Amino acid sequence: MALMNGTFSLRPRGLWLVTSLELRQRVRSVRWYVALGTWTLVLLGIGVMALAPVLYTSGWGSIAPVARVMFSLHMLLVLFAMLLVTPALSAGSINGDRSAGTLATLQASLLSPLEIVLGKLLAGLVTGLAFLVLAMPSALPLAVLGDVGILYFTRVVAMICFLTVCVAAIGLGLSAITQRQLGSVVLAYVLVVGVTVVGPILWGTSLTVLQQEREVTTYSIDYSNYDTNTHGVCITETDTVNVLRMDLAQPVLWPNPVIMLAETAPTQELETLWQDTDASGFDVLSLLKVGMREVSSPPHPSDYVFCPPDAQDYPEDLGTPMQIPMWPMGVAIWAIAALGSLLLAVFRLAVPIKRLGKGTRIA
């Protein structure tokens, strides 16, 4: 019990000491500040280059849709930057210090394993969120010009912060269980690429196997008796067809960071996109959210209605398709993985150490 109390003791002074040491060690290169400055200038340049032609040709009246789209693209760029930077800094933190012989000094001090792990986590969070903070000078004006709501803006920022914490925590866990710094960094990038790229590919290829034969009733216009005044008559036809069940493969998309970020966008109806010519309420994230929920929802009778709503005999009693939000499951998966990784890292740093890998350096 004493060992457990010492392992999980947490003091603000110890936490700040490890965080400050980690930041001074990891972010002391001039190239880091050059990269952050370049990142800020690039985002500002992208925003100006996108808005200036619209403002010059159409004026302020047409700038809101473009600014909204650019805001969503800026947030996606911030997410990708976080996914690139955070694993490189956090996944080599523990085994890197062990290889350099500095980890044993921290373990022999009054610092607890929990303070060491959380200090390294905070350092990784600060470095990862630096890209988010420096994106604000360009993102905030775009949000204002694009009429982005404060709740929408808050949800996007909160989701990026949450994913940054989780990626940094998982990187620490991988760093604690692997001997080589390169190995843990590669594993972290494999994980990120797996959930970001491989998952959607697997979901897309699932359409070749996830098919069911079902009796489907199709509603279409009878063009033989078409009348422009009544917009035609809606007729029914029942047939047995192959129905795609891509909703069964939806779990592989739950932890996808891009889809989780898109889930923070306001819910829009797909019909609004066709009726609203300027589509001022849509951006990249909202379109991705509508599209993914539409194609990954379970089959519904309304999916086979090809008549306009004002057609004669239009079916009114079919109901609406069930769309399952993906962000709660994604948050749960990332949170469980992050907490498990942090606990693993804490136990791996606890002293005395019972087992060490071959060739592991102590001090």
Side-chain angles (χ1 to χ4, degrees):
M1 183 63 66
L3 175 62
M4 295 298 293
N5 292 334
T7 300
F8 289 97
S9 64
L10 182 62
R11 299 163 300 167
R13 183 178 180 182
L15 184 63
W16 168 248
L17 176 62
V18 178
T19 304
S20 59
L21 287 174
E22 188 74 12
L23 287 175
R24 284 197 295 265
Q25 181 181 1
R26 304 295 178 185
V27 193
R28 59 185 178 184
S29 174
V30 178
R31 290 176 296 180
W32 171 254
Y33 299 101
V34 173
L36 292 179
T38 304
W39 164 259
T40 306
L41 294 177
V42 167
L43 288 184
L44 289 173
I46 292 175
V48 172
M49 291 176 62
L51 297 181
V54 178
L55 185 61
Y56 180 76
T57 57
S58 304
W60 288 100
S62 303
I63 204 170
V66 179
R68 191 179 182 92
V69 171
M70 293 307 301
F71 168 77
S72 61
L73 289 176
H74 269 56
M75 294 298 100
L76 283 173
L77 287 175
V78 173
L79 177 65
F80 289 138
M82 179 273 296
L83 293 176
L84 288 174
V85 173
T86 306
L89 295 177
S90 65
S93 180
I94 294 177
N95 51 16
D97 287 352
R98 182 180 287 119
S99 299
T102 58
L103 182 63
T105 304
L106 294 177
Q107 292 176 291
S109 66
L110 296 178
L111 295 171
S112 68
L114 182 61
E115 291 171 347
I116 297 175
V117 171
L118 292 184
K120 290 179 176 294
L121 177 65
L122 286 179
L125 178 63
V126 169
T127 53
L129 292 183
F131 289 89
L132 175 62
V133 174
L134 293 178
M136 290 299 103
S138 58
L140 286 175
L142 292 174
V144 174
L145 294 175
D147 296 328
V148 176
I150 184 64
L151 292 179
Y152 179 18
F153 183 86
T154 304
R155 289 196 301 267
V156 171
V157 173
M159 183 60 73
I160 294 178
C161 294
F162 171 77
L163 290 172
T164 304
V165 173
C166 293
V167 172
I170 294 174
L172 285 175
L174 293 174
S175 179
I177 62 176
T178 56
Q179 298 183 21
R180 304 297 180 184
Q181 186 175 3
L182 179 60
S184 57
V185 172
V186 170
L187 287 176
Y189 278 119
V190 168
L191 174 64
V192 170
V193 173
V195 297
T196 307
V197 180
V198 179
I201 293 176
L202 293 176
W203 175 81
T205 56
S206 66
L207 61 88
T208 59
V209 293
L210 296 180
Q211 299 184 15
Q212 291 179 345
E213 283 193 358
R214 284 190 176 185
E215 190 177 78
V216 173
T217 301
T218 304
Y219 302 83
S220 58
I221 291 292
D222 183 11
Y223 287 99
S224 61
N225 297 318
Y226 185 76
D227 186 358
T228 56
N229 295 325
T230 61
H231 296 281
V233 179
C234 196
I235 61 174
T236 61
E237 181 180 358
T238 303
D239 195 5
T240 301
V241 297
N242 285 329
V243 178
L244 296 179
R245 293 302 310 273
M246 299 185 70
D247 57 297
L248 299 178
Q250 192 189 70
V252 301
L253 297 177
W254 289 346
N256 187 282
V258 177
I259 294 179
M260 291 180 63
L261 188 65
E263 284 282 306
T264 62
T267 302
Q268 302 281 355
E269 295 295 334
L270 191 61
E271 291 77 8
T272 308
L273 179 62
W274 314 121
Q275 298 173 2
D276 189 4
T277 55
D278 59 358
S280 58
F282 282 85
D283 54 38
V284 177
L285 294 179
S286 60
L287 285 176
L288 181 60
K289 177 181 180 179
V290 171
M292 292 307 303
R293 287 195 178 185
E294 187 72 21
V295 299
S296 62
S297 60
H300 190 268
S302 62
D303 296 337
Y304 304 95
V305 177
F306 304 104
C307 302
D310 50 0
Q312 184 179 347
D313 297 334
Y314 180 84
E316 300 285 351
D317 56 348
L318 296 180
T320 56
M322 180 182 65
Q323 295 185 351
I324 303 175
M326 288 183 273
W327 68 266
M329 288 74 75
V331 168
I333 292 173
W334 279 103
I336 293 173
L339 290 176
S341 299
L342 289 179
L343 289 176
L344 178 62
V346 170
F347 283 117
R348 289 286 292 177
L349 291 182
V351 290
I353 302 174
K354 297 181 180 180
R355 181 186 300 177
L356 285 175
K358 184 179 180 180
T360 302
R361 179 177 178 179
I362 298 295

